[in-house]
Amino acid sequence: MNAAEISVRESRDRLVTENLGLVHLCANRFRNRGIEYEELYSSGCVGLVKAANSFDEDRGVKFSTYAVPVILGEIKRIFRDGGTVKVSRSLKELSLKAVREKNSFISRNGREPSIAELALEMNCSPDEIAEALSAAQPCLSLTRYGESDESEEQDIPSPFRESDIYEGIALRQAMDRLDAKDRKLIFLRYFRSFTQSRAAEALGMTQVQVSRREKKILSELRKDLL
């Protein structure tokens, strides 16, 4: 592999690693529609990888703007196809372990792990982790029976505004600019529903310190998002 190919691969891997949050934002819009969240996320990861492979920054479009429709397309595909391609048992087991380790990392650090960090935690290669996160999980059939008792396919509506996703992207990027302790404080308070007292205990602070710091962080986030 020459230097140019290595550079292209590193650029692609960076786009995937830095934008896994896009997959969560898209997959969350399809919760409770008959398919497990992990399968939604796995399909979204496939879309993210496809977007990273075909993205051309010379077109003057942000990667997030380009990737969201591709990710949504892959997620919607599993509703049309009634499931994803079967994967080996070993890959499925690695996928479940990767998800558990990812959730554990989030609980400890208040943010998503990168593929490289997850690979280090699990003693695997980044390619193995990326494939594991994209592995399919079993899904439920979404066919229904009509008056003739024959199964009929139906499209799954997606009643949401894409602007909601882009607002979520802006918030995630603003959160990424916070230092680690401030990011964890906001994560505990607003994503884990910790009380100020409980967050203070987890962060080694007093409740008063948490209250003051939280107000300052929220003020900074508002200014960043305006």
Side-chain angles (χ1 to χ4, degrees):
M1 185 179 294
N2 59 41
E5 291 173 332
I6 293 174
S7 178
V8 169
R9 181 171 180 175
E10 289 178 346
S11 177
R12 181 204 65 188
D13 291 346
R14 176 179 54 80
L15 286 174
V16 171
T17 300
E18 293 178 354
N19 289 279
L20 285 172
L22 291 178
V23 181
H24 283 296
L25 289 169
C26 293
N28 275 326
R29 299 298 174 176
F30 294 88
R31 280 186 182 273
N32 303 316
R33 295 178 182 274
I35 290 184
E36 296 292 334
Y37 179 80
E38 293 306 331
E39 183 168 3
L40 299 173
Y41 179 76
S42 295
S43 295
C45 284
V46 172
L48 178 61
V49 171
K50 286 184 176 181
N53 285 335
S54 58
F55 179 63
D56 182 0
E57 60 183 12
D58 292 336
R59 294 177 180 175
V61 177
K62 289 184 177 181
F63 178 73
S64 57
T65 302
Y66 175 79
V68 165
V70 183
I71 295 169
L72 291 175
E74 286 299 320
I75 293 174
K76 291 177 180 178
R77 184 193 303 276
I78 63 176
F79 289 100
R80 294 195 301 270
D81 295 346
T84 54
V85 177
K86 300 296 182 181
V87 298
S88 67
R89 177 176 295 181
S90 61
L91 181 56
K92 188 174 293 185
E93 289 175 350
L94 180 61
S95 176
L96 293 173
K97 290 178 182 178
V99 169
R100 286 196 295 268
E101 184 59 43
K102 174 173 66 68
N103 291 336
S104 176
F105 186 99
I106 292 172
S107 296
R108 295 194 308 269
N109 299 281
R111 64 175 177 84
E112 291 274 350
S114 67
I115 290 179
E117 288 172 326
L118 207 53
L120 185 62
E121 291 283 343
M122 298 181 63
N123 195 29
C124 297
S125 72
D127 286 346
E128 288 174 323
I129 295 302
E131 185 179 14
L133 291 176
S134 300
Q137 301 294 320
C139 69
L140 300 176
S141 172
L142 291 179
T143 56
R144 62 177 173 83
Y145 288 91
E147 295 180 359
S148 61
D149 291 333
E150 294 183 357
S151 61
E152 302 173 358
E153 292 186 357
Q154 57 179 339
D155 290 331
I156 304 300
S158 176
F160 65 87
R161 299 178 302 129
E162 288 200 8
S163 60
D164 292 342
I165 292 180
Y166 294 112
E167 289 168 4
I169 294 169
L171 176 59
R172 182 177 66 85
Q173 292 173 340
M175 289 276 290
D176 286 344
R177 287 190 283 271
L178 298 174
D179 66 42
K181 192 168 185 178
D182 286 350
R183 186 167 55 244
K184 187 170 184 179
L185 188 156
I186 295 300
F187 175 79
L188 292 176
R189 289 282 291 125
Y190 293 93
F191 294 85
R192 296 291 299 278
S193 300
F194 275 34
T195 63
Q196 287 186 347
S197 297
R198 189 179 175 192
E201 182 179 352
L203 295 168
M205 302 168 65
T206 67
Q207 185 272 329
V208 173
Q209 288 174 326
V210 167
S211 178
R212 290 174 178 171
R213 190 61 193 165
E214 180 181 336
K215 289 179 182 178
K216 184 175 181 179
I217 297 170
L218 292 178
S219 177
E220 291 174 353
L221 286 174
R222 289 190 189 98
K223 291 178 183 178
D224 205 3
L225 293 171
L226 289 178

